[in-house]
Amino acid sequence: MSLPVLSALAADPAPSPSPSTSTGSVTPTLQDAQESATHAASWVEENWSTWLAIGLRVLLVLVIAAVLRVFVRRAITKLIDRMSRTAQAVDGTALGGLLVNVERRRQRSQAIGSVLRSVASFLIMGTAALMILGTFEINLAPLLASAGVAGVAIGFGARNLVTDFLSGVFMILEDQYGVGDVIDAGVASGEVIEVGLRVTKLRGDNGEIWYIRNGEVKRIGNLSQGWATAGVDVTVRASEDLDHVRAVIGEVAETISKEEPWNERLWGPIEILGLDSVLLDSMVVRVSAKTMPGKALSVERELRWRIKRAFDAAQIRIVGGPTAPAEEDPLDPAAAVAAPSVFANTESAQSVATAPIPAPGSAPAPSGAPK
């Protein structure tokens, strides 16, 4: 190789790789990082006011909802406590007997308070949630439509539960019955021992406990509200002197009206309504009195007790009922003995006439038999 060629090769630089054949990533430069930071800062600077406004609005909605919820629940609690204190103040007095007892008022107020607090919390927090979603510019129409469809589906699936709950709410608000009342619910009857939003518990006459769903009750007969009527039917002989009977019953009524605790249980004078029925051998005198709710049975029993003792002292006989048998003379013991029969004597004309005819060659007939 000549000298000029070597010098030419030494003067040319090494060939660089073509950009089209490069496979490695391009390393970001400092200038690219500065441009990215500048764009991010400018984007934050342009939108920070919007973010701050949204955050403050959400915070304000949550604070107002929390404060309003606490205020409403506290107001409901104070109202329920005032109702309970009023019930405790009148319990044990004559006015408390006319009203409801403490346990009934307490359970009723607690049930009403629980319903009101739950409804208030649901309305306040639900409204706050919708306002927050609206702050983020979320379209609420599909959400509300979906919630409506879900609510309808749940309502159809749990319609019995919803019916029981709504019936319990209106029953408590209308104060149809409460703890201590004696009611006839159609499906069962007895004394109310617990009132709930879904189920009511009754204590039957034999001690059994009935659980009645509020949605199944179609009618309610409350025997403990207002006043009750005690009615006693006194059946005496038709031959008794009515004026004497009225005088004796009037003395009993006057005596029981002045004694405790019957003077408080009786809300009016005991009235002798007169003859309820007149039969051939008996007559029924009707006695009635207006009593406290739930005390009619005890007043009736006491009246029967005192009337019976007064009639025994006055020698007035009480017969067994409106169809009491009339008195008859004792029967003759010999009346049940049959008279002697003529056929008992074998020699009587009747016995001889009914004797069979003897066959030829048989033994001779007894004396006195026809030949």
mmCIF file of all heavy atoms in Angstrom, residues 71-107:
data_model
loop_
_atom_site.group_PDB
_atom_site.id
_atom_site.type_symbol
_atom_site.label_atom_id
_atom_site.label_comp_id
_atom_site.label_asym_id
_atom_site.label_seq_id
_atom_site.Cartn_x
_atom_site.Cartn_y
_atom_site.Cartn_z
ATOM 1 N N PHE A 71 -78.054 17.668 65.285
ATOM 2 C CA PHE A 71 -79.057 18.569 65.858
ATOM 3 C C PHE A 71 -80.445 17.938 65.822
ATOM 4 O O PHE A 71 -81.193 17.968 66.814
ATOM 5 C CB PHE A 71 -79.050 19.890 65.093
ATOM 6 C CG PHE A 71 -80.111 20.849 65.541
ATOM 7 C CD1 PHE A 71 -79.967 21.584 66.709
ATOM 8 C CD2 PHE A 71 -81.272 21.008 64.790
ATOM 9 C CE1 PHE A 71 -80.958 22.461 67.120
ATOM 10 C CE2 PHE A 71 -82.265 21.882 65.201
ATOM 11 C CZ PHE A 71 -82.111 22.608 66.360
ATOM 12 N N VAL A 72 -80.810 17.341 64.684
ATOM 13 C CA VAL A 72 -82.137 16.740 64.554
ATOM 14 C C VAL A 72 -82.288 15.536 65.484
ATOM 15 O O VAL A 72 -83.313 15.378 66.157
ATOM 16 C CB VAL A 72 -82.393 16.348 63.085
ATOM 17 C CG1 VAL A 72 -83.694 15.555 62.959
ATOM 18 C CG2 VAL A 72 -82.463 17.589 62.215
ATOM 19 N N ARG A 73 -81.279 14.682 65.547
ATOM 20 C CA ARG A 73 -81.362 13.514 66.425
ATOM 21 C C ARG A 73 -81.440 13.924 67.893
ATOM 22 O O ARG A 73 -82.160 13.310 68.684
ATOM 23 C CB ARG A 73 -80.149 12.605 66.194
ATOM 24 C CG ARG A 73 -80.161 11.904 64.846
ATOM 25 C CD ARG A 73 -78.888 11.103 64.638
ATOM 26 N NE ARG A 73 -78.756 10.019 65.588
ATOM 27 C CZ ARG A 73 -79.212 8.793 65.381
ATOM 28 N NH1 ARG A 73 -79.835 8.498 64.257
ATOM 29 N NH2 ARG A 73 -79.044 7.850 66.288
ATOM 30 N N ARG A 74 -80.710 14.967 68.262
ATOM 31 C CA ARG A 74 -80.771 15.424 69.646
ATOM 32 C C ARG A 74 -82.145 16.007 69.962
ATOM 33 O O ARG A 74 -82.689 15.796 71.056
ATOM 34 C CB ARG A 74 -79.674 16.455 69.885
ATOM 35 C CG ARG A 74 -79.563 16.920 71.331
ATOM 36 C CD ARG A 74 -78.303 17.736 71.535
ATOM 37 N NE ARG A 74 -77.099 16.940 71.249
ATOM 38 C CZ ARG A 74 -75.879 17.428 71.307
ATOM 39 N NH1 ARG A 74 -75.685 18.708 71.621
ATOM 40 N NH2 ARG A 74 -74.841 16.645 71.054
ATOM 41 N N ALA A 75 -82.715 16.729 69.014
ATOM 42 C CA ALA A 75 -84.056 17.279 69.231
ATOM 43 C C ALA A 75 -85.084 16.164 69.380
ATOM 44 O O ALA A 75 -85.971 16.231 70.239
ATOM 45 C CB ALA A 75 -84.422 18.199 68.068
ATOM 46 N N ILE A 76 -84.970 15.127 68.567
ATOM 47 C CA ILE A 76 -85.910 13.997 68.680
ATOM 48 C C ILE A 76 -85.732 13.290 70.017
ATOM 49 O O ILE A 76 -86.710 12.907 70.674
ATOM 50 C CB ILE A 76 -85.695 13.031 67.503
ATOM 51 C CG1 ILE A 76 -86.082 13.707 66.185
ATOM 52 C CG2 ILE A 76 -86.495 11.758 67.697
ATOM 53 C CD1 ILE A 76 -85.758 12.875 64.960
ATOM 54 N N THR A 77 -84.488 13.111 70.456
ATOM 55 C CA THR A 77 -84.234 12.456 71.736
ATOM 56 C C THR A 77 -84.824 13.251 72.898
ATOM 57 O O THR A 77 -85.419 12.683 73.828
ATOM 58 C CB THR A 77 -82.726 12.264 71.941
ATOM 59 O OG1 THR A 77 -82.191 11.503 70.847
ATOM 60 C CG2 THR A 77 -82.444 11.533 73.240
ATOM 61 N N LYS A 78 -84.673 14.572 72.859
ATOM 62 C CA LYS A 78 -85.254 15.407 73.925
ATOM 63 C C LYS A 78 -86.773 15.314 73.918
ATOM 64 O O LYS A 78 -87.403 15.286 74.988
ATOM 65 C CB LYS A 78 -84.805 16.851 73.735
ATOM 66 C CG LYS A 78 -83.340 17.094 74.070
ATOM 67 C CD LYS A 78 -82.990 18.569 73.965
ATOM 68 C CE LYS A 78 -81.528 18.803 74.348
ATOM 69 N NZ LYS A 78 -81.167 20.245 74.258
ATOM 70 N N LEU A 79 -87.369 15.267 72.738
ATOM 71 C CA LEU A 79 -88.822 15.136 72.663
ATOM 72 C C LEU A 79 -89.287 13.808 73.255
ATOM 73 O O LEU A 79 -90.271 13.758 74.004
ATOM 74 C CB LEU A 79 -89.267 15.259 71.204
ATOM 75 C CG LEU A 79 -90.765 15.095 70.929
ATOM 76 C CD1 LEU A 79 -91.558 16.186 71.639
ATOM 77 C CD2 LEU A 79 -91.042 15.128 69.429
ATOM 78 N N ILE A 80 -88.576 12.739 72.961
ATOM 79 C CA ILE A 80 -88.947 11.425 73.493
ATOM 80 C C ILE A 80 -88.767 11.394 75.012
ATOM 81 O O ILE A 80 -89.603 10.838 75.741
ATOM 82 C CB ILE A 80 -88.119 10.331 72.809
ATOM 83 C CG1 ILE A 80 -88.391 10.318 71.298
ATOM 84 C CG2 ILE A 80 -88.438 8.985 73.409
ATOM 85 C CD1 ILE A 80 -89.835 10.163 70.927
ATOM 86 N N ASP A 81 -87.684 11.996 75.518
ATOM 87 C CA ASP A 81 -87.470 12.040 76.972
ATOM 88 C C ASP A 81 -88.567 12.829 77.664
ATOM 89 O O ASP A 81 -89.020 12.466 78.763
ATOM 90 C CB ASP A 81 -86.105 12.655 77.269
ATOM 91 C CG ASP A 81 -84.958 11.759 76.808
ATOM 92 O OD1 ASP A 81 -85.206 10.562 76.609
ATOM 93 O OD2 ASP A 81 -83.830 12.267 76.646
ATOM 94 N N ARG A 82 -89.015 13.892 77.044
ATOM 95 C CA ARG A 82 -90.109 14.682 77.641
ATOM 96 C C ARG A 82 -91.392 13.861 77.690
ATOM 97 O O ARG A 82 -92.142 13.920 78.678
ATOM 98 C CB ARG A 82 -90.315 15.954 76.821
ATOM 99 C CG ARG A 82 -91.394 16.867 77.380
ATOM 100 C CD ARG A 82 -91.485 18.150 76.574
ATOM 101 N NE ARG A 82 -90.204 18.876 76.616
ATOM 102 C CZ ARG A 82 -89.980 20.005 75.953
ATOM 103 N NH1 ARG A 82 -90.943 20.533 75.198
ATOM 104 N NH2 ARG A 82 -88.825 20.607 76.045
ATOM 105 N N MET A 83 -91.662 13.090 76.654
ATOM 106 C CA MET A 83 -92.844 12.223 76.676
ATOM 107 C C MET A 83 -92.746 11.183 77.777
ATOM 108 O O MET A 83 -93.733 10.899 78.478
ATOM 109 C CB MET A 83 -93.001 11.543 75.314
ATOM 110 C CG MET A 83 -93.323 12.479 74.170
ATOM 111 S SD MET A 83 -93.322 11.645 72.566
ATOM 112 C CE MET A 83 -94.538 10.364 72.824
ATOM 113 N N SER A 84 -91.562 10.626 77.983
ATOM 114 C CA SER A 84 -91.387 9.623 79.038
ATOM 115 C C SER A 84 -91.551 10.239 80.424
ATOM 116 O O SER A 84 -92.153 9.645 81.314
ATOM 117 C CB SER A 84 -90.005 8.973 78.906
ATOM 118 O OG SER A 84 -89.866 8.343 77.648
ATOM 119 N N ARG A 85 -91.000 11.444 80.627
ATOM 120 C CA ARG A 85 -91.154 12.107 81.935
ATOM 121 C C ARG A 85 -92.608 12.434 82.223
ATOM 122 O O ARG A 85 -93.074 12.330 83.361
ATOM 123 C CB ARG A 85 -90.308 13.379 81.966
ATOM 124 C CG ARG A 85 -88.816 13.118 82.055
ATOM 125 C CD ARG A 85 -88.089 14.376 82.490
ATOM 126 N NE ARG A 85 -88.309 15.465 81.541
ATOM 127 C CZ ARG A 85 -87.505 15.722 80.510
ATOM 128 N NH1 ARG A 85 -86.446 14.957 80.283
ATOM 129 N NH2 ARG A 85 -87.759 16.723 79.700
ATOM 130 N N THR A 86 -93.355 12.809 81.209
ATOM 131 C CA THR A 86 -94.778 13.083 81.405
ATOM 132 C C THR A 86 -95.529 11.830 81.812
ATOM 133 O O THR A 86 -96.403 11.858 82.682
ATOM 134 C CB THR A 86 -95.375 13.666 80.114
ATOM 135 O OG1 THR A 86 -94.641 14.821 79.737
ATOM 136 C CG2 THR A 86 -96.837 14.045 80.319
ATOM 137 N N ALA A 87 -95.172 10.702 81.202
ATOM 138 C CA ALA A 87 -95.826 9.437 81.563
ATOM 139 C C ALA A 87 -95.491 9.030 82.990
ATOM 140 O O ALA A 87 -96.341 8.541 83.728
ATOM 141 C CB ALA A 87 -95.405 8.343 80.581
ATOM 142 N N GLN A 88 -94.248 9.237 83.425
ATOM 143 C CA GLN A 88 -93.867 8.882 84.790
ATOM 144 C C GLN A 88 -94.539 9.780 85.814
ATOM 145 O O GLN A 88 -94.823 9.363 86.932
ATOM 146 C CB GLN A 88 -92.353 8.975 84.937
ATOM 147 C CG GLN A 88 -91.593 7.932 84.126
ATOM 148 C CD GLN A 88 -90.093 8.101 84.238
ATOM 149 O OE1 GLN A 88 -89.617 8.996 84.938
ATOM 150 N NE2 GLN A 88 -89.351 7.272 83.522
ATOM 151 N N ALA A 89 -94.835 11.016 85.436
ATOM 152 C CA ALA A 89 -95.457 11.943 86.379
ATOM 153 C C ALA A 89 -96.898 11.565 86.680
ATOM 154 O O ALA A 89 -97.372 11.750 87.797
ATOM 155 C CB ALA A 89 -95.394 13.366 85.832
ATOM 156 N N VAL A 90 -97.612 11.010 85.687
ATOM 157 C CA VAL A 90 -99.022 10.690 85.897
ATOM 158 C C VAL A 90 -99.229 9.249 86.309
ATOM 159 O O VAL A 90 -100.342 8.881 86.684
ATOM 160 C CB VAL A 90 -99.837 10.981 84.612
ATOM 161 C CG1 VAL A 90 -99.709 12.442 84.228
ATOM 162 C CG2 VAL A 90 -99.361 10.088 83.472
ATOM 163 N N ASP A 91 -98.217 8.421 86.254
ATOM 164 C CA ASP A 91 -98.388 7.017 86.618
ATOM 165 C C ASP A 91 -98.592 6.882 88.124
ATOM 166 O O ASP A 91 -97.958 7.558 88.923
ATOM 167 C CB ASP A 91 -97.154 6.209 86.201
ATOM 168 C CG ASP A 91 -97.366 4.739 86.454
ATOM 169 O OD1 ASP A 91 -98.249 4.174 85.796
ATOM 170 O OD2 ASP A 91 -96.660 4.179 87.309
ATOM 171 N N GLY A 92 -99.507 5.998 88.497
ATOM 172 C CA GLY A 92 -99.802 5.787 89.902
ATOM 173 C C GLY A 92 -100.879 6.686 90.448
ATOM 174 O O GLY A 92 -101.256 6.566 91.600
ATOM 175 N N THR A 93 -101.400 7.604 89.664
ATOM 176 C CA THR A 93 -102.467 8.494 90.087
ATOM 177 C C THR A 93 -103.764 8.094 89.413
ATOM 178 O O THR A 93 -103.816 7.197 88.575
ATOM 179 C CB THR A 93 -102.109 9.948 89.750
ATOM 180 O OG1 THR A 93 -101.979 10.066 88.318
ATOM 181 C CG2 THR A 93 -100.794 10.346 90.397
ATOM 182 N N ALA A 94 -104.838 8.784 89.790
ATOM 183 C CA ALA A 94 -106.122 8.507 89.145
ATOM 184 C C ALA A 94 -106.080 8.847 87.668
ATOM 185 O O ALA A 94 -106.657 8.168 86.835
ATOM 186 C CB ALA A 94 -107.232 9.313 89.841
ATOM 187 N N LEU A 95 -105.366 9.940 87.347
ATOM 188 C CA LEU A 95 -105.216 10.301 85.945
ATOM 189 C C LEU A 95 -104.410 9.264 85.194
ATOM 190 O O LEU A 95 -104.685 8.961 84.026
ATOM 191 C CB LEU A 95 -104.543 11.671 85.828
ATOM 192 C CG LEU A 95 -104.335 12.212 84.401
ATOM 193 C CD1 LEU A 95 -105.680 12.382 83.709
ATOM 194 C CD2 LEU A 95 -103.576 13.535 84.437
ATOM 195 N N GLY A 96 -103.417 8.698 85.860
ATOM 196 C CA GLY A 96 -102.627 7.654 85.217
ATOM 197 C C GLY A 96 -103.444 6.421 84.910
ATOM 198 O O GLY A 96 -103.167 5.703 83.949
ATOM 199 N N GLY A 97 -104.474 6.138 85.715
ATOM 200 C CA GLY A 97 -105.343 5.020 85.399
ATOM 201 C C GLY A 97 -106.168 5.257 84.158
ATOM 202 O O GLY A 97 -106.480 4.335 83.419
ATOM 203 N N LEU A 98 -106.544 6.521 83.931
ATOM 204 C CA LEU A 98 -107.306 6.837 82.732
ATOM 205 C C LEU A 98 -106.421 6.810 81.503
ATOM 206 O O LEU A 98 -106.892 6.522 80.409
ATOM 207 C CB LEU A 98 -107.952 8.227 82.862
ATOM 208 C CG LEU A 98 -108.839 8.443 84.089
ATOM 209 C CD1 LEU A 98 -109.412 9.842 84.066
ATOM 210 C CD2 LEU A 98 -109.961 7.431 84.106
ATOM 211 N N LEU A 99 -105.173 7.148 81.655
ATOM 212 C CA LEU A 99 -104.245 7.166 80.526
ATOM 213 C C LEU A 99 -103.557 5.824 80.412
ATOM 214 O O LEU A 99 -104.078 4.803 80.832
ATOM 215 C CB LEU A 99 -103.235 8.309 80.718
ATOM 216 C CG LEU A 99 -103.843 9.708 80.826
ATOM 217 C CD1 LEU A 99 -102.756 10.721 81.081
ATOM 218 C CD2 LEU A 99 -104.613 10.079 79.576
ATOM 219 N N VAL A 100 -102.383 5.806 79.845
ATOM 220 C CA VAL A 100 -101.643 4.566 79.655
ATOM 221 C C VAL A 100 -100.541 4.479 80.692
ATOM 222 O O VAL A 100 -100.148 5.471 81.295
ATOM 223 C CB VAL A 100 -101.050 4.517 78.235
ATOM 224 C CG1 VAL A 100 -102.149 4.399 77.210
ATOM 225 C CG2 VAL A 100 -100.233 5.753 77.950
ATOM 226 N N ASN A 101 -100.014 3.284 80.898
ATOM 227 C CA ASN A 101 -98.983 3.120 81.911
ATOM 228 C C ASN A 101 -97.620 3.517 81.364
ATOM 229 O O ASN A 101 -97.451 3.838 80.186
ATOM 230 C CB ASN A 101 -98.974 1.667 82.408
ATOM 231 C CG ASN A 101 -98.833 0.677 81.264
ATOM 232 O OD1 ASN A 101 -98.224 0.976 80.250
ATOM 233 N ND2 ASN A 101 -99.408 -0.493 81.446
ATOM 234 N N VAL A 102 -96.631 3.509 82.257
ATOM 235 C CA VAL A 102 -95.298 3.983 81.899
ATOM 236 C C VAL A 102 -94.653 3.087 80.849
ATOM 237 O O VAL A 102 -94.026 3.575 79.899
ATOM 238 C CB VAL A 102 -94.420 4.055 83.164
ATOM 239 C CG1 VAL A 102 -92.984 4.406 82.794
ATOM 240 C CG2 VAL A 102 -94.974 5.095 84.131
ATOM 241 N N GLU A 103 -94.816 1.787 81.006
ATOM 242 C CA GLU A 103 -94.170 0.876 80.064
ATOM 243 C C GLU A 103 -94.723 1.062 78.656
ATOM 244 O O GLU A 103 -93.979 1.054 77.679
ATOM 245 C CB GLU A 103 -94.385 -0.566 80.529
ATOM 246 C CG GLU A 103 -93.724 -1.617 79.654
ATOM 247 C CD GLU A 103 -92.212 -1.512 79.636
ATOM 248 O OE1 GLU A 103 -91.644 -0.902 80.573
ATOM 249 O OE2 GLU A 103 -91.597 -2.028 78.687
ATOM 250 N N ARG A 104 -96.016 1.250 78.588
ATOM 251 C CA ARG A 104 -96.612 1.471 77.267
ATOM 252 C C ARG A 104 -96.100 2.758 76.649
ATOM 253 O O ARG A 104 -95.718 2.788 75.484
ATOM 254 C CB ARG A 104 -98.126 1.504 77.394
ATOM 255 C CG ARG A 104 -98.819 1.962 76.114
ATOM 256 C CD ARG A 104 -100.312 1.950 76.262
ATOM 257 N NE ARG A 104 -100.961 2.506 75.094
ATOM 258 C CZ ARG A 104 -102.274 2.541 74.922
ATOM 259 N NH1 ARG A 104 -103.054 2.028 75.838
ATOM 260 N NH2 ARG A 104 -102.791 3.062 73.841
ATOM 261 N N ARG A 105 -96.081 3.830 77.426
ATOM 262 C CA ARG A 105 -95.603 5.097 76.886
ATOM 263 C C ARG A 105 -94.127 5.021 76.541
ATOM 264 O O ARG A 105 -93.669 5.605 75.553
ATOM 265 C CB ARG A 105 -95.842 6.214 77.905
ATOM 266 C CG ARG A 105 -97.305 6.557 78.132
ATOM 267 C CD ARG A 105 -97.903 7.206 76.899
ATOM 268 N NE ARG A 105 -97.294 8.479 76.606
ATOM 269 C CZ ARG A 105 -97.738 9.651 77.085
ATOM 270 N NH1 ARG A 105 -98.797 9.667 77.868
ATOM 271 N NH2 ARG A 105 -97.131 10.768 76.763
ATOM 272 N N ARG A 106 -93.361 4.295 77.350
ATOM 273 C CA ARG A 106 -91.934 4.203 77.080
ATOM 274 C C ARG A 106 -91.661 3.465 75.777
ATOM 275 O O ARG A 106 -90.886 3.925 74.934
ATOM 276 C CB ARG A 106 -91.236 3.477 78.236
ATOM 277 C CG ARG A 106 -89.716 3.446 78.118
ATOM 278 C CD ARG A 106 -89.112 2.587 79.226
ATOM 279 N NE ARG A 106 -89.508 1.203 79.091
ATOM 280 C CZ ARG A 106 -88.927 0.343 78.261
ATOM 281 N NH1 ARG A 106 -87.917 0.732 77.499
ATOM 282 N NH2 ARG A 106 -89.331 -0.899 78.193
ATOM 283 N N GLN A 107 -92.300 2.317 75.598
ATOM 284 C CA GLN A 107 -92.080 1.570 74.372
ATOM 285 C C GLN A 107 -92.599 2.332 73.156
ATOM 286 O O GLN A 107 -91.975 2.322 72.092
ATOM 287 C CB GLN A 107 -92.755 0.198 74.458
ATOM 288 C CG GLN A 107 -92.085 -0.759 75.416
ATOM 289 C CD GLN A 107 -92.473 -2.193 75.148
ATOM 290 O OE1 GLN A 107 -93.083 -2.506 74.134
ATOM 291 N NE2 GLN A 107 -92.126 -3.081 76.070
#
